[in-house]
Short mmCIF file of all heavy atoms in Angstrom, two decimals:
data_model
loop_
_atom_site.label_atom_id
_atom_site.label_comp_id
_atom_site.label_asym_id
_atom_site.label_seq_id
_atom_site.Cartn_x
_atom_site.Cartn_y
_atom_site.Cartn_z
N MET A 238 -2.91 15.51 -4.81
CA MET A 238 -2.20 15.96 -3.62
C MET A 238 -3.05 16.99 -2.89
O MET A 238 -3.61 17.88 -3.49
CB MET A 238 -0.88 16.61 -4.03
CG MET A 238 0.05 15.67 -4.75
SD MET A 238 1.75 15.89 -4.25
CE MET A 238 1.97 17.61 -4.57
N ALA A 239 -3.11 16.80 -1.60
CA ALA A 239 -3.89 17.75 -0.81
C ALA A 239 -3.54 17.58 0.65
O ALA A 239 -3.02 16.54 1.05
CB ALA A 239 -5.39 17.50 -1.00
N VAL A 240 -3.82 18.61 1.40
CA VAL A 240 -3.67 18.49 2.85
C VAL A 240 -5.02 18.03 3.43
O VAL A 240 -6.04 18.07 2.76
CB VAL A 240 -3.25 19.83 3.50
CG1 VAL A 240 -1.85 20.23 3.05
CG2 VAL A 240 -4.25 20.93 3.21
N THR A 241 -4.97 17.60 4.68
CA THR A 241 -6.17 17.11 5.35
C THR A 241 -6.39 17.89 6.64
O THR A 241 -5.43 18.22 7.34
CB THR A 241 -6.01 15.61 5.71
OG1 THR A 241 -5.82 14.88 4.51
CG2 THR A 241 -7.25 15.08 6.43
N ILE A 242 -7.64 18.21 6.93
CA ILE A 242 -7.96 18.90 8.18
C ILE A 242 -8.60 17.90 9.13
O ILE A 242 -9.59 17.24 8.80
CB ILE A 242 -8.92 20.08 7.93
CG1 ILE A 242 -8.20 21.15 7.10
CG2 ILE A 242 -9.41 20.66 9.26
CD1 ILE A 242 -9.07 22.33 6.72
N ASN A 243 -8.01 17.78 10.32
CA ASN A 243 -8.57 16.92 11.36
C ASN A 243 -9.69 17.68 12.06
O ASN A 243 -9.45 18.59 12.84
CB ASN A 243 -7.48 16.53 12.37
CG ASN A 243 -7.99 15.58 13.44
OD1 ASN A 243 -9.18 15.56 13.76
ND2 ASN A 243 -7.09 14.79 13.98
N VAL A 244 -10.93 17.31 11.78
CA VAL A 244 -12.07 18.07 12.28
C VAL A 244 -12.22 17.93 13.80
O VAL A 244 -12.87 18.76 14.44
CB VAL A 244 -13.39 17.66 11.59
CG1 VAL A 244 -13.33 18.00 10.11
CG2 VAL A 244 -13.69 16.19 11.80
N ASP A 245 -11.63 16.90 14.38
CA ASP A 245 -11.71 16.74 15.84
C ASP A 245 -10.79 17.73 16.56
O ASP A 245 -11.04 18.08 17.71
CB ASP A 245 -11.35 15.31 16.24
CG ASP A 245 -12.38 14.30 15.76
OD1 ASP A 245 -13.57 14.66 15.70
OD2 ASP A 245 -12.00 13.17 15.43
N GLU A 246 -9.73 18.16 15.90
CA GLU A 246 -8.79 19.10 16.50
C GLU A 246 -9.07 20.54 16.07
O GLU A 246 -8.68 21.49 16.74
CB GLU A 246 -7.35 18.74 16.13
CG GLU A 246 -6.92 17.39 16.70
CD GLU A 246 -5.52 17.01 16.26
OE1 GLU A 246 -4.90 17.77 15.50
OE2 GLU A 246 -5.05 15.93 16.68
N CYS A 247 -9.72 20.73 14.94
CA CYS A 247 -10.00 22.06 14.40
C CYS A 247 -10.92 22.83 15.34
O CYS A 247 -11.94 22.32 15.79
CB CYS A 247 -10.66 21.91 13.03
SG CYS A 247 -11.28 23.45 12.35
N THR A 248 -10.54 24.08 15.64
CA THR A 248 -11.32 24.91 16.55
C THR A 248 -12.25 25.86 15.79
O THR A 248 -12.90 26.71 16.41
CB THR A 248 -10.39 25.74 17.43
OG1 THR A 248 -9.57 26.57 16.60
CG2 THR A 248 -9.49 24.84 18.28
N ARG A 249 -12.28 25.73 14.47
CA ARG A 249 -13.14 26.57 13.64
C ARG A 249 -12.80 28.07 13.79
O ARG A 249 -13.70 28.91 13.82
CB ARG A 249 -14.62 26.33 13.95
CG ARG A 249 -15.23 25.12 13.26
CD ARG A 249 -15.16 25.16 11.75
NE ARG A 249 -15.57 26.44 11.19
CZ ARG A 249 -16.82 26.74 10.90
NH1 ARG A 249 -17.76 25.90 11.11
NH2 ARG A 249 -17.08 27.93 10.39
N CYS A 250 -11.51 28.36 13.85
CA CYS A 250 -11.13 29.77 13.87
C CYS A 250 -11.29 30.39 12.48
O CYS A 250 -11.36 31.60 12.34
CB CYS A 250 -9.68 29.91 14.35
SG CYS A 250 -8.46 29.29 13.17
N ASP A 251 -11.30 29.52 11.46
CA ASP A 251 -11.47 29.91 10.06
C ASP A 251 -10.31 30.73 9.50
O ASP A 251 -10.43 31.30 8.41
CB ASP A 251 -12.79 30.66 9.85
CG ASP A 251 -14.00 29.75 10.03
OD1 ASP A 251 -13.81 28.54 10.30
OD2 ASP A 251 -15.13 30.24 9.91
N ASP A 252 -9.18 30.78 10.20
CA ASP A 252 -8.03 31.54 9.71
C ASP A 252 -7.45 30.97 8.42
O ASP A 252 -6.83 31.68 7.64
CB ASP A 252 -6.92 31.57 10.77
CG ASP A 252 -7.25 32.48 11.94
OD1 ASP A 252 -8.29 33.17 11.87
OD2 ASP A 252 -6.47 32.51 12.91
N CYS A 253 -7.62 29.67 8.22
CA CYS A 253 -7.03 29.05 7.04
C CYS A 253 -7.78 29.37 5.75
O CYS A 253 -7.21 29.29 4.66
CB CYS A 253 -6.95 27.54 7.23
SG CYS A 253 -8.53 26.77 7.62
N ILE A 254 -9.05 29.71 5.86
CA ILE A 254 -9.87 29.91 4.66
C ILE A 254 -9.34 31.04 3.77
O ILE A 254 -9.11 30.83 2.58
CB ILE A 254 -11.34 30.13 5.04
CG1 ILE A 254 -11.90 28.87 5.69
CG2 ILE A 254 -12.17 30.50 3.80
CD1 ILE A 254 -13.32 29.02 6.22
N PRO A 255 -9.11 32.24 4.32
CA PRO A 255 -8.70 33.34 3.44
C PRO A 255 -7.27 33.26 2.93
O PRO A 255 -6.94 33.93 1.94
CB PRO A 255 -8.91 34.59 4.30
CG PRO A 255 -8.81 34.10 5.71
CD PRO A 255 -9.38 32.70 5.69
N VAL A 256 -6.41 32.48 3.57
CA VAL A 256 -5.01 32.44 3.14
C VAL A 256 -4.75 31.46 2.01
O VAL A 256 -3.69 31.47 1.39
CB VAL A 256 -4.05 32.13 4.31
CG1 VAL A 256 -4.20 33.17 5.43
CG2 VAL A 256 -4.25 30.74 4.85
N CYS A 257 -5.71 30.62 1.72
CA CYS A 257 -5.49 29.62 0.67
C CYS A 257 -5.50 30.27 -0.71
O CYS A 257 -6.51 30.85 -1.12
CB CYS A 257 -6.57 28.54 0.73
SG CYS A 257 -6.38 27.32 -0.59
N PRO A 258 -4.40 30.15 -1.45
CA PRO A 258 -4.31 30.80 -2.76
C PRO A 258 -5.19 30.17 -3.82
O PRO A 258 -5.47 30.79 -4.85
CB PRO A 258 -2.83 30.67 -3.13
CG PRO A 258 -2.35 29.50 -2.35
CD PRO A 258 -3.14 29.48 -1.07
N THR A 259 -5.64 28.94 -3.58
CA THR A 259 -6.49 28.29 -4.58
C THR A 259 -7.94 28.15 -4.11
O THR A 259 -8.73 27.46 -4.74
CB THR A 259 -5.95 26.87 -4.89
OG1 THR A 259 -5.91 26.10 -3.69
CG2 THR A 259 -4.55 26.94 -5.49
N LYS A 260 -8.25 28.83 -2.98
CA LYS A 260 -9.61 28.80 -2.43
C LYS A 260 -10.12 27.37 -2.28
O LYS A 260 -11.26 27.04 -2.64
CB LYS A 260 -10.56 29.62 -3.31
CG LYS A 260 -10.18 31.10 -3.40
CD LYS A 260 -11.22 31.88 -4.15
CE LYS A 260 -11.01 33.39 -4.15
NZ LYS A 260 -9.70 33.89 -3.83
N SER A 261 -9.27 26.53 -1.74
CA SER A 261 -9.61 25.11 -1.62
C SER A 261 -10.24 24.73 -0.30
O SER A 261 -10.65 23.58 -0.12
CB SER A 261 -8.33 24.27 -1.80
OG SER A 261 -7.77 24.48 -3.07
N ILE A 262 -10.30 25.68 0.64
CA ILE A 262 -10.84 25.35 1.96
C ILE A 262 -12.21 26.00 2.12
O ILE A 262 -12.37 27.20 1.88
CB ILE A 262 -9.91 25.83 3.08
CG1 ILE A 262 -8.51 25.24 2.90
CG2 ILE A 262 -10.47 25.45 4.46
CD1 ILE A 262 -7.48 25.76 3.89
N SER A 263 -13.19 25.18 2.49
CA SER A 263 -14.54 25.71 2.67
C SER A 263 -15.21 25.00 3.84
O SER A 263 -14.68 24.04 4.39
CB SER A 263 -15.35 25.51 1.38
OG SER A 263 -15.42 24.14 1.07
N VAL A 264 -16.37 25.49 4.19
CA VAL A 264 -17.14 24.90 5.29
C VAL A 264 -18.26 24.06 4.70
O VAL A 264 -19.04 24.53 3.88
CB VAL A 264 -17.74 26.00 6.19
CG1 VAL A 264 -18.53 25.37 7.34
CG2 VAL A 264 -16.64 26.90 6.74
N LYS A 265 -18.29 22.80 5.12
CA LYS A 265 -19.37 21.93 4.68
C LYS A 265 -19.97 21.23 5.90
O LYS A 265 -19.27 20.55 6.63
CB LYS A 265 -18.85 20.89 3.68
CG LYS A 265 -18.43 21.51 2.34
CD LYS A 265 -18.76 20.63 1.17
CE LYS A 265 -18.58 21.37 -0.15
NZ LYS A 265 -17.28 21.99 -0.31
N LYS A 266 -21.25 21.44 6.11
CA LYS A 266 -21.94 20.84 7.25
C LYS A 266 -21.23 21.17 8.56
O LYS A 266 -21.09 20.32 9.43
CB LYS A 266 -22.08 19.33 7.07
CG LYS A 266 -22.95 18.96 5.88
CD LYS A 266 -23.07 17.47 5.73
CE LYS A 266 -23.93 17.12 4.52
NZ LYS A 266 -23.96 15.68 4.25
N GLY A 267 -20.72 22.39 8.66
CA GLY A 267 -20.12 22.85 9.90
C GLY A 267 -18.67 22.50 10.09
O GLY A 267 -18.05 22.90 11.06
N ASN A 268 -18.08 21.73 9.16
CA ASN A 268 -16.68 21.36 9.28
C ASN A 268 -15.87 21.92 8.12
O ASN A 268 -16.38 22.07 7.01
CB ASN A 268 -16.51 19.83 9.30
CG ASN A 268 -17.02 19.22 10.57
OD1 ASN A 268 -16.88 19.79 11.66
ND2 ASN A 268 -17.63 18.05 10.47
N LEU A 269 -14.60 22.21 8.39
CA LEU A 269 -13.70 22.67 7.34
C LEU A 269 -13.29 21.49 6.47
O LEU A 269 -12.93 20.44 6.99
CB LEU A 269 -12.44 23.28 7.95
CG LEU A 269 -12.46 24.76 8.37
CD1 LEU A 269 -12.25 25.64 7.17
CD2 LEU A 269 -13.71 25.14 9.10
N VAL A 270 -13.35 21.67 5.18
CA VAL A 270 -12.92 20.61 4.28
C VAL A 270 -12.00 21.19 3.22
O VAL A 270 -12.11 22.35 2.83
CB VAL A 270 -14.11 19.90 3.59
CG1 VAL A 270 -14.93 19.13 4.60
CG2 VAL A 270 -14.96 20.89 2.83
N VAL A 271 -11.08 20.35 2.75
CA VAL A 271 -10.15 20.75 1.70
C VAL A 271 -10.57 20.08 0.39
O VAL A 271 -10.82 18.87 0.36
CB VAL A 271 -8.71 20.32 2.04
CG1 VAL A 271 -7.76 20.66 0.90
CG2 VAL A 271 -8.26 21.00 3.33
N ASN A 272 -10.66 20.86 -0.66
CA ASN A 272 -10.97 20.31 -1.97
C ASN A 272 -9.69 19.70 -2.55
O ASN A 272 -8.76 20.41 -2.93
CB ASN A 272 -11.50 21.42 -2.89
CG ASN A 272 -11.92 20.87 -4.25
OD1 ASN A 272 -11.48 19.80 -4.68
ND2 ASN A 272 -12.79 21.60 -4.92
N ALA A 273 -9.63 18.38 -2.58
CA ALA A 273 -8.42 17.69 -3.02
C ALA A 273 -8.15 17.90 -4.51
O ALA A 273 -7.03 17.68 -4.98
CB ALA A 273 -8.54 16.20 -2.72
N ASP A 274 -9.16 18.32 -5.24
CA ASP A 274 -8.98 18.54 -6.68
C ASP A 274 -8.25 19.84 -6.98
O ASP A 274 -7.64 19.98 -8.03
CB ASP A 274 -10.33 18.54 -7.39
CG ASP A 274 -11.00 17.18 -7.36
OD1 ASP A 274 -10.28 16.16 -7.33
OD2 ASP A 274 -12.24 17.14 -7.36
N THR A 275 -8.35 20.80 -6.05
CA THR A 275 -7.74 22.10 -6.32
C THR A 275 -6.57 22.42 -5.40
O THR A 275 -5.76 23.29 -5.72
CB THR A 275 -8.79 23.23 -6.21
OG1 THR A 275 -9.38 23.19 -4.91
CG2 THR A 275 -9.88 23.06 -7.27
N CYS A 276 -6.47 21.76 -4.24
CA CYS A 276 -5.33 22.01 -3.34
C CYS A 276 -4.05 21.56 -4.02
O CYS A 276 -3.93 20.43 -4.48
CB CYS A 276 -5.52 21.25 -2.03
SG CYS A 276 -4.04 21.30 -0.97
N THR A 277 -3.09 22.46 -4.07
CA THR A 277 -1.79 22.14 -4.69
C THR A 277 -0.72 21.87 -3.64
O THR A 277 0.45 21.72 -3.99
CB THR A 277 -1.33 23.33 -5.55
OG1 THR A 277 -1.13 24.45 -4.68
CG2 THR A 277 -2.35 23.67 -6.62
N GLU A 278 -1.12 21.84 -2.37
CA GLU A 278 -0.18 21.80 -1.25
C GLU A 278 0.77 23.00 -1.32
O GLU A 278 1.89 22.94 -0.85
CB GLU A 278 0.59 20.48 -1.19
CG GLU A 278 -0.31 19.30 -0.88
CD GLU A 278 0.43 18.00 -0.65
OE1 GLU A 278 1.65 17.97 -0.85
OE2 GLU A 278 -0.23 17.02 -0.27
N CYS A 279 0.28 24.05 -1.95
CA CYS A 279 1.06 25.28 -2.08
C CYS A 279 2.43 25.02 -2.67
O CYS A 279 3.44 25.56 -2.22
CB CYS A 279 1.19 25.99 -0.74
SG CYS A 279 -0.34 26.70 -0.13
N GLU A 280 2.46 24.20 -3.69
CA GLU A 280 3.74 23.80 -4.26
C GLU A 280 4.54 24.98 -4.82
O GLU A 280 5.75 24.88 -4.99
CB GLU A 280 3.53 22.77 -5.37
CG GLU A 280 2.65 23.27 -6.50
CD GLU A 280 2.31 22.17 -7.49
OE1 GLU A 280 2.86 21.07 -7.34
OE2 GLU A 280 1.52 22.43 -8.41
N ASP A 281 3.85 26.07 -5.08
CA ASP A 281 4.55 27.23 -5.58
C ASP A 281 5.02 28.15 -4.46
O ASP A 281 5.59 29.20 -4.71
CB ASP A 281 3.66 28.03 -6.53
CG ASP A 281 3.29 27.22 -7.75
OD1 ASP A 281 4.12 26.43 -8.20
OD2 ASP A 281 2.16 27.37 -8.23
N HIS A 282 4.79 27.75 -3.24
CA HIS A 282 5.12 28.60 -2.10
C HIS A 282 6.12 27.87 -1.19
O HIS A 282 6.39 26.69 -1.37
CB HIS A 282 3.86 28.97 -1.33
CG HIS A 282 2.84 29.64 -2.18
ND1 HIS A 282 2.86 30.97 -2.48
CD2 HIS A 282 1.79 29.13 -2.87
CE1 HIS A 282 1.86 31.26 -3.28
NE2 HIS A 282 1.18 30.16 -3.54
N ASP A 283 6.64 28.57 -0.22
CA ASP A 283 7.64 27.98 0.66
C ASP A 283 7.06 26.88 1.53
O ASP A 283 7.72 25.88 1.80
CB ASP A 283 8.26 29.05 1.54
CG ASP A 283 9.10 30.03 0.74
OD1 ASP A 283 9.60 29.63 -0.33
OD2 ASP A 283 9.23 31.18 1.17
N SER A 284 5.82 27.07 1.98
CA SER A 284 5.17 26.05 2.80
C SER A 284 3.68 26.27 2.68
O SER A 284 3.23 27.35 2.34
CB SER A 284 5.62 26.17 4.25
OG SER A 284 5.23 27.41 4.78
N PRO A 285 2.91 25.24 2.98
CA PRO A 285 1.45 25.39 2.88
C PRO A 285 0.96 26.54 3.77
O PRO A 285 1.19 26.55 4.97
CB PRO A 285 0.93 24.04 3.37
CG PRO A 285 2.03 23.09 3.00
CD PRO A 285 3.31 23.87 3.23
N LYS A 286 0.29 27.47 3.16
CA LYS A 286 -0.19 28.65 3.88
C LYS A 286 -1.14 28.27 5.01
O LYS A 286 -1.10 28.86 6.09
CB LYS A 286 -0.94 29.58 2.92
CG LYS A 286 -0.14 30.00 1.71
CD LYS A 286 0.75 31.15 2.02
CE LYS A 286 1.37 31.69 0.75
NZ LYS A 286 2.54 32.52 1.00
N CYS A 287 -2.01 27.32 4.74
CA CYS A 287 -3.00 26.96 5.74
C CYS A 287 -2.35 26.35 6.98
O CYS A 287 -2.72 26.67 8.11
CB CYS A 287 -4.03 26.00 5.14
SG CYS A 287 -3.30 24.51 4.41
N MET A 288 -1.33 25.51 6.77
CA MET A 288 -0.64 24.90 7.91
C MET A 288 0.09 25.96 8.72
O MET A 288 0.17 25.86 9.95
CB MET A 288 0.35 23.84 7.42
CG MET A 288 -0.33 22.60 6.87
SD MET A 288 0.83 21.43 6.13
CE MET A 288 1.70 20.84 7.56
N ALA A 289 0.60 26.98 8.05
CA ALA A 289 1.37 28.02 8.73
C ALA A 289 0.50 28.85 9.67
O ALA A 289 0.98 29.30 10.71
CB ALA A 289 2.03 28.92 7.70
N VAL A 290 -0.76 29.03 9.34
CA VAL A 290 -1.62 29.88 10.18
C VAL A 290 -2.46 29.08 11.18
O VAL A 290 -3.02 29.66 12.11
CB VAL A 290 -2.58 30.76 9.34
CG1 VAL A 290 -1.78 31.67 8.41
CG2 VAL A 290 -3.57 29.92 8.55
N CYS A 291 -2.55 27.79 11.02
CA CYS A 291 -3.43 27.01 11.89
C CYS A 291 -2.87 26.96 13.32
O CYS A 291 -1.78 26.43 13.54
CB CYS A 291 -3.60 25.60 11.35
SG CYS A 291 -4.66 24.58 12.41
N PRO A 292 -3.61 27.48 14.29
CA PRO A 292 -3.13 27.51 15.67
C PRO A 292 -3.24 26.18 16.40
O PRO A 292 -2.65 26.00 17.46
CB PRO A 292 -4.03 28.57 16.32
CG PRO A 292 -5.31 28.47 15.57
CD PRO A 292 -4.93 28.12 14.15
N SER A 293 -3.99 25.25 15.85
CA SER A 293 -4.21 23.99 16.57
C SER A 293 -3.50 22.80 15.94
O SER A 293 -3.66 21.68 16.41
CB SER A 293 -5.73 23.70 16.64
OG SER A 293 -6.25 23.54 15.35
N GLY A 294 -2.73 23.06 14.88
CA GLY A 294 -2.01 21.95 14.25
C GLY A 294 -2.93 20.91 13.63
O GLY A 294 -2.59 19.72 13.58
N SER A 295 -4.07 21.36 13.15
CA SER A 295 -5.07 20.41 12.65
C SER A 295 -4.86 20.02 11.20
O SER A 295 -5.55 19.13 10.71
CB SER A 295 -6.47 21.04 12.76
OG SER A 295 -6.73 21.44 14.08
N ILE A 296 -3.93 20.70 10.52
CA ILE A 296 -3.77 20.45 9.09
C ILE A 296 -2.48 19.68 8.85
O ILE A 296 -1.42 20.06 9.30
CB ILE A 296 -3.75 21.78 8.31
CG1 ILE A 296 -5.00 22.61 8.63
CG2 ILE A 296 -3.66 21.50 6.80
CD1 ILE A 296 -5.01 23.98 8.01
N THR A 297 -2.62 18.57 8.15
CA THR A 297 -1.45 17.73 7.88
C THR A 297 -1.47 17.30 6.43
O THR A 297 -2.48 17.42 5.73
CB THR A 297 -1.47 16.46 8.76
OG1 THR A 297 -2.70 15.78 8.57
CG2 THR A 297 -1.30 16.81 10.25
N TYR A 298 -0.34 16.80 5.97
CA TYR A 298 -0.31 16.25 4.62
C TYR A 298 -1.08 14.94 4.59
O TYR A 298 -0.96 14.12 5.50
CB TYR A 298 1.13 16.00 4.16
CG TYR A 298 1.89 17.25 3.89
CD1 TYR A 298 2.92 17.66 4.72
CD2 TYR A 298 1.58 18.04 2.79
CE1 TYR A 298 3.63 18.82 4.47
CE2 TYR A 298 2.28 19.20 2.52
CZ TYR A 298 3.30 19.59 3.38
OH TYR A 298 3.98 20.73 3.12
N ALA A 299 -1.85 14.76 3.55
CA ALA A 299 -2.67 13.54 3.46
C ALA A 299 -1.77 12.33 3.23
O ALA A 299 -0.69 12.47 2.71
CB ALA A 299 -3.67 13.68 2.32
S1 LIG B 549 -1.96 23.57 1.15
FE1 LIG B 549 -2.18 25.56 0.10
S2 LIG B 549 -3.54 25.12 -1.62
FE2 LIG B 549 -3.80 23.44 -0.16
S3 LIG B 549 -5.51 24.02 1.16
FE3 LIG B 549 -3.62 24.71 2.18
S4 LIG B 549 -3.36 26.83 1.54
FE4 LIG B 549 -4.81 25.88 0.10
S1 LIG B 550 -6.74 27.34 10.84
FE1 LIG B 550 -6.78 25.29 11.80
S2 LIG B 550 -8.15 25.50 13.60
FE2 LIG B 550 -8.51 27.28 12.25
S3 LIG B 550 -10.26 26.67 10.96
FE3 LIG B 550 -8.37 26.15 9.83
S4 LIG B 550 -7.95 23.97 10.37
FE4 LIG B 550 -9.40 24.78 11.89
#
């Protein structure tokens, strides 16, 4: 389970990187990517932290 970042809509504000509790979001070749092996979809939280802070709506459930 993991969320997906639409790189065409992402503005590279990088706000989602520090809020991820599992450090699953990183920059690879200039684009934000989610590590599907470690992303828990924030199952222990009320809602995915990264989706809550993303200003461009680029993060969706895979
Ligand atoms: S859903 Fe949660 S665990 Fe997954 S990338 Fe977003 S903040 Fe990190
Ligand atoms: S918060 Fe949204 S727009 Fe900002 S870097 Fe993350 S995915 Fe891209």
Side-chain angles (χ1 to χ4, degrees):
M238 299 220 305
V240 294
T241 299
I242 294 176
N243 183 334
V244 296
D245 293 327
E246 295 177 359
C247 172
T248 60
R249 278 301 314 273
C250 69
D251 291 359
D252 287 354
C253 55
I254 296 174
V256 301
C257 177
T259 59
K260 298 186 173 19
S261 299
I262 304 175
S263 60
V264 181
K265 292 217 169 53
K266 296 180 181 174
N268 289 323
L269 275 280
V270 293
V271 176
N272 184 338
D274 293 330
T275 57
C276 171
T277 63
E278 294 187 353
C279 291
E280 59 187 354
D281 297 326
H282 304 277
D283 292 334
S284 63
K286 305 276 189 198
C287 55
M288 289 173 69
V290 300
C291 179
S293 62
S295 304
I296 305 175
T297 55
Y298 289 110

